[in-house]
Every structure is written in structure tokens, then in C-alpha cells.
């Protein structure tokens, strides 16, 4: 039996539905410099971020950057290989690179002191699947089939 994961979506999809890539880089609108750094450091063996279906082992979507407060949790079965990535590294990149970050008053030196890594090193850690001090894992694949769905809305923050 193939391992299943959880995926949240705004709209419910029926059993058998295939989630595929959106073709959109998740942070392109809000933090394009973060996506550029990640893509520049992406190993060819890894799926591009615009070519992924994003999933979790648990049902906690609170740190996954969703733009809505509630959605439908789908239990999905990946149809291809699965990569595990720690999105905490992206959080560090957002603090360093995103000009719209809320913490404008914190200097780059103060932010760098938290982890002591360059932007490229942070991106490489993400792609390598390295575990950060505060891990927050996403699992990605190219397609995933819905095997179960909650028929009720769930909050993004459980």
C-alpha cells in the first residue's frame, strides 16, 4: 500500500481526482526574490516549485503559506516519487530577501546571526531536505490522487 498524505484545497475534489502542478511559483507574487534564489540553487534532480503538488503528513497547514483560513483536507496518494523539504529554510530566506517582510527594523546582520548561512546556503539546505532547528516539512510530488476527503471545512490552523 502506498503512503498517503494530506493536502488542503479551497474546494472539495472527488475521490479519484488528480491534483497536478499549478504552474505557478508559490511565492512569485509576494516574494519573487526568494523564488529566484531557490530556483537558482535547485538541483536538476528536484521538481521545480511550480511543478509540484504540495502535501503534509499531518493536518497542520498553519505554516504553509496558504492564503485562506479554511479549506477541505484531502487524503492523497502520490503517483510519482516524493521529495521531503523543510520550509523553515524558506522562512529564513523570506526574512533576508523579502523587501515586504514585516520585520523591517531588524538588520540583516541580526537576521543572519540566527543561522549564519548565506542566501544560497539556505536555499541549498531546502533542496537537500536538510532538517532545520525548527523543522516544518512539506512533501511534494508531480501528481497525487484523492483517496479520501473530509466533507467539512477545516481551519488552516488546527
Amino acid at each position: 500500500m502506498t503512503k498517503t498524505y494530506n493536502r488542503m484545497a479551497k474546494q472539495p475534489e472527488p475521490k479519484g481526482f488528480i491534483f497536478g502542478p499549478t504552474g505557478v511559483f508559490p511565492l512569485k507574487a509576494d516574494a519573487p526574490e526568494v523564488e529566484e534564489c531557490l530556483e537558482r540553487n535547485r538541483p536538476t534532480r528536484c521538481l521545480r516549485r511550480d511543478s509540484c503538488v504540495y502535501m503534509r503528513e499531518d493536518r497542520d497547514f498553519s505554516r504553509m503559506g496558504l492564503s485562506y483560513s479554511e479549506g477541505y483536507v484531502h487524503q492523497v496518494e502520490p503517483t510519482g516519487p516524493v521529495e521531503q523539504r523543510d520550509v523553515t529554510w524558506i522562512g529564513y530566506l523570506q526574512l533576508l530577501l523579502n523587501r515586504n517582510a514585516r520585520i523591517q527594523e531588524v538588520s540583516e546582520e541580526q537576521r543572519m546571526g540566527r543561522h549564519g548561512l548565506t542566501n544560497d546556503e539556505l536555499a541549498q539546505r531546502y533542496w537537500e531536505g536538510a532538517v532545520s532547528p525548527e523543522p516544518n516539512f512539506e512533501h511534494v510530488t508531480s501528481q497525487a490522487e484523492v483517496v479520501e476527503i473530509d466533507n467539512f471545512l477545516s481551519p488552516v490552523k488546527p
Side-chain angles (χ1 to χ4, degrees):
M1 182 174 171
T2 304
K3 182 173 181 170
T4 59
Y5 296 86
N6 296 297
R7 183 180 197 301
M8 184 174 273
K10 277 180 124 174
Q11 301 299 319
E13 299 296 352
K15 286 183 185 180
F17 178 83
I18 304 291
F19 281 108
T22 63
V24 176
F25 287 95
L27 297 173
K28 189 66 174 177
D30 296 328
E33 51 283 317
V34 172
E35 289 292 359
E36 290 164 10
C37 180
L38 289 167
E39 185 59 22
R40 180 176 68 245
N41 286 281
R42 181 181 58 84
T44 56
R45 64 174 162 64
C46 293
L47 287 171
R48 291 168 44 109
R49 286 175 41 83
D50 65 344
S51 300
C52 294
V53 173
Y54 293 85
M55 311 170 294
R56 290 193 53 89
E57 289 184 319
D58 60 28
R59 297 170 60 97
D60 181 359
F61 297 91
S62 62
R63 292 175 37 199
M64 300 310 295
L66 297 175
S67 61
Y68 45 91
S69 60
E70 59 185 13
Y72 293 90
V73 177
H74 300 76
Q75 190 175 17
V76 297
E77 188 173 281
T79 60
V82 175
E83 298 172 21
Q84 176 178 285
R85 305 172 183 167
D86 184 348
V87 296
T88 301
W89 301 116
I90 292 178
Y92 294 154
L93 276 172
Q94 286 177 295
L95 285 174
L96 289 167
L97 292 173
N98 187 356
R99 310 223 187 296
N100 299 321
R102 286 184 256 179
I103 308 175
Q104 292 293 327
E105 67 279 359
V106 177
S107 72
E108 185 168 331
E109 183 178 316
Q110 288 170 312
R111 290 183 236 170
M112 287 294 289
R114 178 160 188 186
H115 46 73
L117 300 170
T118 67
N119 297 341
D120 289 337
E121 288 170 331
L122 290 169
Q124 291 160 11
R125 294 259 173 124
Y126 168 77
W127 291 113
E128 293 165 1
V131 179
S132 71
E134 300 167 9
N136 182 28
F137 297 115
E138 67 184 4
H139 295 81
V140 299
T141 189
S142 57
Q143 292 185 326
E145 181 178 352
V146 175
V147 294
E148 288 294 327
I149 180 172
D150 292 350
N151 59 1
F152 53 88
L153 285 166
S154 294
V156 169
K157 294 185 177 188

